[in-house]
Amino acid sequence: MIAAILLAAGSATRFGSDKRQALTHEGESLLATVLQCYAMVFPKLAVVVGPDDDFGLAQCARFGVHALVNPSARQGLGSSVACGIRWAQAQDLVGVVMGLADMPFVRPDTLAAVADRLTTAARLVMPVYQGRPGHPRGIPCTAFAALATLGGERGAAAVLDWSQALQLSCDDAGCVLDIDTPAMLAEAQASRSA
């Protein structure tokens, strides 16, 4: 079985506020938009949130997904990756599709394609849009042990060689579009409406 893990415990310092709560044109928060998309594709979905994250926990409850509270979230991305992977190790999974909560415009068919290639290839999978590496990334269970000990700011690239990943070409610009500022969100929504 393939599950998905969303990393949603970041501090969003460049956005100026909790960007997960910023609203899209449809009136949904960024986090709800991402959760809705992933929940359509993955029956098993876990979301890594920080401590005392009432908003994150409420959204997980709303969509019926597993909330994984990372008490070390402030230490950086690596601790959240490790938190999610330790959950995956306790499941009967052949791999996980790991995504980012600040990428609300990834299409469901891209998520499904990454999961499908991960299932058949049993190796790292990375979507690529016009030559640019994107997210989410497919991670086989053989890589879990290396990721479970990460900490601080060291992300998965510290222990995984993404240059060896199976590259999945796609026409989904959303897989390379993360939202870091309010201006980026406004620009992304304007381009999608055009």
Side-chain angles (χ1 to χ4, degrees), residues 150-184:
L150 285 175
E153 292 296 333
R154 294 177 51 209
V159 295
L160 300 179
D161 184 358
W162 289 108
S163 71
Q164 299 302 308
L166 188 156
Q167 295 192 7
L168 179 65
S169 293
C170 66
D171 64 352
D172 181 4
C175 80
V176 295
L177 180 60
D178 60 329
I179 303 299
D180 288 327
T181 65
M184 290 175 72

Side-chain angles (χ1 to χ4, degrees), residues 8 31 35 45-49 54-68:
L31 182 56
L35 285 174
L45 170 60
V47 182
V48 181
V49 297
D54 293 338
F55 175 75
L57 293 174
Q59 293 304 305
C60 289
R62 174 183 170 193
F63 289 95
V65 302
H66 300 279
L68 307 175

